[in-house]
Amino acid sequence: MTRPAARGGSRASADRLARLLNLVPYLLARPGIEIAEAAGDLGVTERQLREDLELLWVCGLPGYGPGDLIDMAFDGDRVTITYDAGIDRPLRLTPDEALALVVALRMLAETPGVANREAVERALAKIEDAGDLVGAPVAVRLPGDNRRVEALRAAVEGGRALRITYYTAARDETTERVIDPLRMLMVGGRAYVEAWCRRAEAVRLFRADRIDAITELAEPATVPPQARPHDRTEGIFRPSPDLPLITLRIGRSERWITEYYPCELVEAGDGDQWLVSLRVTDLGWARRFVLGLGPDATVVAPVELAEQVRATAAAALAAYAVPGPSTAPRLPVPDPATPDLADRAGTPSGDPAVAGRTQ
């Protein structure tokens, strides 16, 4: 079993459907229009427009017999709709669709670092006016510390350098850095600042809710010419061949991994088990990730990760076995013969398994 790689097909189909729904009323208002002119107005190539017109031949009302389908006449390079099958008006938004767009646009208007906020506000005003939603009781609040987000937004708009104290979850460490902000982003409901990091000497992405302290410096942001924002359309994490590749054997309860993380390999194994491979930022993050999974997950590769998981699980078990300074009664030490954390850190076959859930 392999995961399909294409993602753009559904988006292209949605774009074409919207274009087709508006094509008929457009042509009805311009009988005999030249195909080249129509293609220019619609922002498509002549070839794409001809393909759309060919598709319209088989579109229409239920029954799909004579008199039900859209019909048109061609005169050289000119086209005229002769039967519209009832599609005589452009696509209109339902009240629910309009409200959803209002909410999305209001959130976009509040997103830090939006380059053309005036365009967003103009689109919002048009949709509110057309849908009679002006003053609709919809309040949009971005998640996280608004004061921190506002401070980052001000630094981006003012072009000021920042000194931040940042927690890096991948390495479980807190560092102090000086950054030159490039822009603000909202991805997956979280605010990020993309900036040139003077410590790393590269463009880095910092999650707003992991910034513990912010100090705006008197100096302006100094972004090197080679610093460019990265394409984030596919998400924050972009797997690359230079990152470590880990392979896990998982059971049914851990299959959510394949939906939540970009996996390079997903294969069906014996019974309910799957073999999955994915790229990670570093093995330190992978160790904490694996330790948080259930007993149905086993580390297959690399060996280094398996050893780290086993060592951490053994250290956790040893910590529970040492009596503390408290006078409280000691809890019984788990019987090594009982399946527990230690057993899940290594199997008789030599394959290290994942430690039990620690949350």
Side-chain angles (χ1 to χ4, degrees):
M1 175 177 57
T2 58
R3 179 174 300 280
R7 282 188 170 185
S10 60
R11 178 59 187 171
S13 299
D15 291 343
R16 190 178 192 190
L17 175 60
R19 192 167 64 247
L20 289 172
L21 290 173
N22 288 288
L23 181 57
V24 174
Y26 169 86
L27 295 177
L28 284 173
R30 300 164 180 82
I33 189 173
E34 291 187 356
I35 291 180
E37 180 183 351
D41 289 346
L42 297 171
V44 297
T45 64
E46 290 187 40
R47 178 180 177 180
Q48 181 62 66
L49 180 56
R50 291 182 184 276
E51 291 177 354
D52 289 344
L53 292 174
E54 291 176 2
L55 182 57
L56 283 178
W57 284 107
V58 294
C59 296
L61 300 172
Y64 308 108
D68 297 323
L69 302 178
I70 295 173
D71 201 2
M72 64 194 80
F74 289 91
D75 182 10
D77 287 335
R78 298 178 179 273
V79 61
T80 300
I81 296 291
T82 57
Y83 179 65
D84 58 31
I87 308 179
D88 56 351
R89 290 175 298 173
L91 178 65
R92 300 296 183 189
L93 298 174
T94 66
D96 288 344
E97 291 171 337
L99 185 59
L101 277 178
V102 167
V103 171
L105 286 172
R106 287 189 182 178
M107 176 169 286
L108 186 60
E110 292 296 322
T111 299
V114 173
N116 196 344
R117 190 169 301 172
E118 292 183 359
V120 174
E121 292 175 349
R122 287 197 302 270
L124 178 59
K126 290 179 181 179
I127 293 177
E128 288 180 335
D129 183 61
D132 195 24
L133 294 171
V134 177
V138 177
V140 175
R141 294 289 182 271
L142 295 179
D145 188 333
N146 289 335
R147 291 174 298 178
R148 183 185 297 117
V149 171
E150 286 299 327
L152 293 171
R153 175 191 290 179
V156 171
E157 295 176 349
R160 312 299 296 182
L162 295 174
R163 176 177 286 107
I164 64 172
T165 302
Y166 188 71
Y167 170 70
T168 304
R171 294 187 296 275
D172 192 24
E173 67 178 11
T174 300
T175 57
E176 188 173 281
R177 306 161 181 254
V178 175
I179 63 172
D180 302 296
L182 294 169
R183 60 174 176 167
M184 292 290 294
L185 300 171
M186 282 294 296
V187 182
R190 294 189 175 94
Y192 295 81
V193 59
E194 192 166 24
W196 174 262
C197 177
R198 299 184 188 179
R199 181 174 181 264
E201 296 186 345
V203 174
R204 292 290 185 264
L205 199 64
F206 301 97
R207 214 169 94 177
D209 59 354
R210 290 179 179 169
I211 298 177
D212 296 328
I214 302 176
T215 302
E216 184 173 312
L217 303 181
E219 61 183 285
T222 305
V223 180
Q226 71 270 23
R228 293 288 184 272
H230 296 295
D231 180 11
R232 306 293 179 180
T233 55
E234 296 297 326
I236 295 299
F237 179 66
R238 301 294 300 276
S240 59
D242 59 315
L243 293 177
L245 181 70
I246 68 171
T247 301
L248 307 176
R249 184 180 296 112
I250 61 173
R252 183 179 297 273
S253 62
E254 307 300 344
R255 290 183 183 178
W256 60 269
I257 294 173
T258 62
E259 301 294 333
Y260 195 80
Y261 295 98
C263 297
E264 293 192 3
L265 172 72
V266 179
E267 288 185 350
D270 298 334
D272 290 337
Q273 291 190 330
W274 285 3
L275 199 67
V276 300
S277 296
L278 62 154
R279 299 282 174 179
V280 297
T281 53
D282 57 55
L283 293 185
W285 180 91
R287 174 178 54 82
R288 293 189 298 276
F289 169 67
V290 169
L291 287 168
L293 298 176
D296 287 342
T298 302
V299 178
V300 176
V303 175
E304 180 184 356
L305 174 60
E307 292 174 347
Q308 290 180 10
V309 170
R310 182 188 291 109
T312 304
L317 184 62
Y320 278 103
V322 175
S326 171
T327 57
R330 285 186 57 189
L331 295 176
V333 177
D335 185 349
T338 304
D340 59 7
L341 188 64
D343 288 320
R344 292 198 293 270
T347 60
S349 62
D351 283 339
V354 177
R357 190 172 299 276
T358 59
Q359 288 90 327

